[in-house]
Structure formats: C-alpha cells, structure tokens
Amino acid sequence: MPNSLVAIFPGSFDPPTNGHLDLIARGARIANHLIVALLQNTQKNALFTTTERSEMLKECIGHLPNVEIDSFDGLLVDYAARRNANTILRGIRNISDYETESQMALLNRRMRPETETIFLTASAEHTFLSSRMVKEIITLGGDASAFVPEPVMRRLKTKFPTVKR
Ligand code: PNS
C-alpha cells in the first residue's frame, strides 16, 4: 500500500501509564498499523517482567484493531528494519523529554534514514506522569490509581498487597 504508515511505539512500559494509553490511542488514529514494542528487560530495577508488561498492555489496548503488541531487544532501528516500519512514534511531555527524544531521533535517523520519528505532544493531564514516578509512589505505599489503568492497578496490588485503594 503506497504511503502506508507502519509505526512503532517503543517503550519500557514498566508499568504502562494512562499517558502511554492516551498516546497509543492517538497513534492508532494516525498509523495504518501501530506496533507497541516493549523493550525486553534490560534494567536491573524493572518492576515487571516482559511477559507481565505485555499482558497488561494486551488487557488495556487489545481492543484496538490496528494495534499489535510485540517486544524487542537490541537497537530500535534494527527492529524497525525487521518489521518494515517507516515510523517511530514517541510522546513528548516537556523540554527535558525534547532534549533526550530529539537526540534519539537524530541518532536513529543517522543509523536508518528510512525510519522517520514523529512526536506526539502529551495531553496536558499527563505531562507530569511517568512510570518511574508511579513505581516510586507504589513502592513507598502511596495511591497511584489515578495514574494507571485498572489492569495495571490490579497487578500492582498483587505485587504490593499493602498498596492503597
Ligand atoms: O519508555 P522509555 O524507557 O522511555 O523507552 C526508551 C526506548 C525503549 C525507546 C529506548 O531506550 C530505545 O530505543 N532502546 C533500544 C536501544 C536503542 O536503540 N538505543 C539507541 C537509541 S538512539
């Protein structure tokens, strides 16, 4: 199909937040096919396994017809080449995201010019949200139920039985 937009939305998703879900739903309206690609566990402080993160994403976005959930390791551009993806989709919340994301986009474009990065501006209500902060709130016994979808909250409660709400 000419000009078909096959996009990858890559991330750690440890755990997926409401901000991720918003970007994925908006990305799915732009792309013909959207691959939500989990970076397989590389961080020592990961809270969830790749399988758990993939299951949570399936529960949250499995209903979107043109969205696929997959995982990858190694370089994102190599994965994009394997998947014949012409686009990488990333969200930007603030200036500090812009600095990191523009650096990644430029490096990725230098390594694989065929793959273009498109940025979506995070919705205003999610600009303060990050998986790292959600993990911190939960591990310190706080209530993160306003920041993550219900299937994620359920898993967090299983991992941390003392969690609020
Ligand atoms: O959700 P995150 O942690 O912000 O996602 C970061 C991610 C997965 C997009 C980034 O770490 C990545 O692309 N990793 C794969 C390795 C890679 O290609 N690194 C070079 C980027 S220039």
Side-chain angles (χ1 to χ4, degrees), residues 18-76:
N18 290 340
H20 290 128
L21 296 202
D22 177 55
L23 290 166
I24 291 167
R26 287 163 57 202
R29 289 203 293 269
I30 299 168
N32 297 85
H33 184 65
L34 182 66
I35 304 165
V36 176
L38 281 167
L39 181 65
Q40 285 168 16
N41 269 351
T42 48
Q43 298 164 297
K44 283 202 196 84
N45 63 346
L47 188 58
F48 290 101
T49 63
T50 308
T51 309
E52 288 173 320
R53 289 180 281 145
S54 170
E55 283 170 2
M56 286 187 284
L57 282 170
K58 273 185 200 135
E59 287 173 49
C60 297
I61 55 173
H63 61 286
L64 297 171
N66 60 334
V67 176
E68 171 193 344
I69 297 151
D70 193 14
S71 64
F72 76 105
D73 57 11
L75 281 178
L76 178 58

Side-chain angles (χ1 to χ4, degrees), residues 11-146:
S12 306
F13 305 108
D14 186 45
T17 67
N18 290 340
H20 290 128
L21 296 202
D22 177 55
L23 290 166
I24 291 167
R26 287 163 57 202
R29 289 203 293 269
I30 299 168
N32 297 85
H33 184 65
L34 182 66
I35 304 165
V36 176
L38 281 167
L39 181 65
Q40 285 168 16
N41 269 351
T42 48
Q43 298 164 297
K44 283 202 196 84
N45 63 346
L47 188 58
F48 290 101
T49 63
T50 308
T51 309
E52 288 173 320
R53 289 180 281 145
S54 170
E55 283 170 2
M56 286 187 284
L57 282 170
K58 273 185 200 135
E59 287 173 49
C60 297
I61 55 173
H63 61 286
L64 297 171
N66 60 334
V67 176
E68 171 193 344
I69 297 151
D70 193 14
S71 64
F72 76 105
D73 57 11
L75 281 178
L76 178 58
V77 285
D78 290 342
Y79 175 71
R82 287 200 298 281
R83 296 303 316 265
N84 287 321
N86 50 20
T87 308
I88 294 168
L89 218 55
R90 291 285 287 170
I92 290 204
R93 291 164 295 192
N94 48 40
I95 294 289
S96 109
D97 272 357
Y98 177 76
E99 286 179 358
T100 322
E101 295 298 331
S102 60
Q103 184 187 15
M104 278 205 292
L106 289 168
L107 283 165
N108 284 335
R109 184 139 60 96
R110 180 61 72 89
M111 290 188 282
R112 183 174 153 80
E114 302 90 325
T115 307
E116 196 65 66
T117 299
I118 297 181
F119 295 129
L120 291 180
T121 311
S123 297
E125 64 270 35
H126 299 134
T127 46
F128 56 85
L129 205 51
S130 71
S131 298
R132 191 167 65 85
M133 289 303 174
V134 166
K135 274 189 275 193
E136 189 161 315
I137 292 168
I138 288 289
T139 51
L140 296 175
D143 176 9
S145 57

